[in-house]
Amino acid sequence: MTFTLEIHSATTIAHPNIALIKYWGNRDDTLNLPANGSISFNLAALEARTNVTFNLDFPADQLVINQEPAGGLALARVSAMLDLVRAMAKLNVHALVESTLNFPIGTGIASSAAGFAALALAASRAAGLDLNDKKLSCLARRGSGSACRSIPGGFVEWLPGISDETSYAVSFAAPDHWDLVDVIVVLQNQPKKTGSREGHTIAFTSPLQEARVADAPRRLQACRDAIRWKDFGALAEIIELDSNMMHAVMMTSSPPLQYWEAGSIALMQAVPGWRSEGLQVAYTLDAGPNVHLICARKDAEMVREKVLEVSTPVDIIVSGIGGPARIVRSV
Ligand code: DP6
């Protein structure tokens, strides 16, 4: 595209997502083609708001996160995504990327998913492209695998695919299909030692990863069915199994990754008991110690009280199910 104006800019909002069936390990680490499909929902209460401005006067790409200039690896990952957009738009202009998140970064709450979904949409729009949801999801995936799941809204499945064009996420149920919430028990809000990026590259060093991947189609089907029929018991069984299988792979990879803390284990031990008392609640953990308690909205307050009986969180965040990434301003 030939720039006729000097400044092109777009602002977008995207939500992070919580995986119910997890992504861990790639068949291609450069393209982020996952070893298995995954299922998630977006978290309505949490968001990344990102503005991208392309300007002929900028000497280099710049990144500002929560009003602080960012460099290093974060800027390199953002520039790599801008390069993809510039190649698609045939553009040779640097950009300023300003992102604000209303939740902690790098703690196992998927900040990179929300950030790269918002960036893919803002950068492509600011560059004058009008990508459909499938292409946007593919683009977001290149920044961070799970970001492809933050492009569509509601309950989402990432179809793993076998190439850049065939690996993207689609929505299979609207946000209001089932009134679930995620009660996020924040036990630790410091950035984790080993990020998902490094973790994915060593997943196949675990002797358990092959079995985990081979069984994924069965777990995906069980999760899809549980969501379709709103069968909480079936959902709880499959998501706890899937989370435990991913952490078993993490703990048995080389080097081993151990994300759980005492509070995480106390909660995982307590939750099945709360369920047998009648609460609709199940746990899942990403690459961090924080525990995501997926529960029926009617049970969220009781779950919060029970959490405080067995752990000492630094914060508890409650979120319902969110919609797709969206543009809020474009000039
Ligand atoms: C444990 O998508 O954050 O949260 O592609 O390297 O950015 P990168 O990894 P990322 O991995 C997410 C891993 C997970 C499970 C999941 O969300 O499915």
Side-chain angles (χ1 to χ4, degrees):
M1 167 180 157
T2 325
F3 257 45
T4 43
L5 291 175
E6 284 196 341
I7 300 174
H8 286 240
S9 142
T11 307
T12 58
I13 288 179
H15 303 288
N17 62 75
I18 177 65
L20 302 174
I21 300 296
K22 310 291 190 188
Y23 151 51
W24 195 250
N26 286 315
R27 57 150 69 204
D28 182 320
D29 282 320
T30 310
L31 293 175
N32 287 342
L33 299 182
N36 60 276
S38 51
I39 288 177
S40 62
F41 63 71
N42 287 348
L43 298 170
L46 309 182
E47 60 184 44
R49 189 188 174 96
T50 297
N51 180 72
V52 173
T53 303
F54 285 103
N55 189 325
L56 288 163
D57 294 337
F58 292 156
D61 293 330
Q62 301 158 71
L63 173 63
V64 177
I65 302 176
N66 291 339
Q67 282 82 46
E68 299 279 337
L73 188 60
L75 176 60
R77 282 178 79 175
V78 164
S79 268
M81 164 143 301
L82 292 170
D83 285 344
L84 294 172
V85 171
R86 284 186 278 251
M88 275 192 247
K90 301 192 176 33
L91 195 72
N92 191 10
V93 183
H94 289 116
L96 167 64
V97 175
E98 297 157 293
S99 196
T100 315
L101 294 99
N102 68 350
F103 59 99
I105 297 174
T107 57
I109 303 176
S111 50
S112 60
F116 279 104
L119 177 62
L121 183 55
S124 57
R125 184 52 70 98
L129 298 168
D130 187 13
L131 303 181
N132 62 26
D133 283 359
K134 176 176 161 181
K135 288 205 164 114
L136 274 172
S137 182
C138 288
L139 177 62
R141 190 201 75 236
R142 298 288 296 274
S144 170
S146 58
C148 75
R149 297 190 310 237
S150 285
I151 294 291
F155 293 88
V156 167
E157 180 163 355
W158 178 1
L159 311 170
I162 50 163
S163 62
D164 192 18
E165 299 77 30
T166 54
S167 185
Y168 58 94
V170 292
S171 174
F172 65 93
D176 62 359
H177 164 70
W178 194 2
D179 201 9
L180 298 179
V181 298
D182 184 4
V183 175
I184 308 167
V185 185
V186 184
L187 295 166
Q188 165 79 266
N189 56 13
Q190 296 307 306
K192 56 201 171 199
K193 288 178 233 79
T194 310
S196 318
R197 179 136 295 221
E198 277 171 85
H200 290 298
T201 64
I202 59 166
F204 277 96
T205 63
S206 164
L208 306 182
Q209 170 72 345
E210 234 165 87
R212 182 191 155 275
V213 170
D215 182 59
R218 182 190 70 84
R219 298 193 306 283
L220 287 162
Q221 188 60 46
C223 186
R224 264 183 236 120
D225 288 348
I227 292 168
R228 179 165 182 207
W229 302 112
K230 301 183 207 173
D231 179 342
F232 198 90
L235 184 76
E237 191 180 319
I238 204 66
I239 73 174
E240 291 183 357
L241 172 69
D242 189 82
S243 174
N244 291 340
M245 285 175 81
M246 179 181 73
H247 284 270
V249 166
M250 291 162 160
M251 285 181 228
T252 52
S253 64
S254 177
L257 302 175
Q258 171 60 268
Y259 289 110
W260 294 345
E261 286 181 6
S264 330
I265 296 168
L267 285 162
M268 285 187 277
Q269 286 175 338
V271 165
W274 300 345
R275 216 159 41 236
S276 57
E277 290 166 15
L279 290 180
Q280 292 194 331
V281 56
Y283 66 78
T284 184
L285 287 85
D286 280 343
N290 300 329
V291 181
H292 293 254
L293 296 172
I294 308 301
C295 60
R297 186 182 291 276
K298 66 175 174 53
D299 290 337
E301 198 40 53
M302 182 64 93
V303 165
R304 177 202 273 273
E305 281 170 29
K306 292 212 167 263
V307 164
L308 297 173
E309 288 168 17
V310 297
S311 65
T312 46
V314 292
D315 197 5
I316 299 179
I317 301 166
V318 181
S319 176
I321 302 180
R326 61 189 192 276
I327 294 166
V328 291
R329 195 187 63 94
S330 164
V331 285

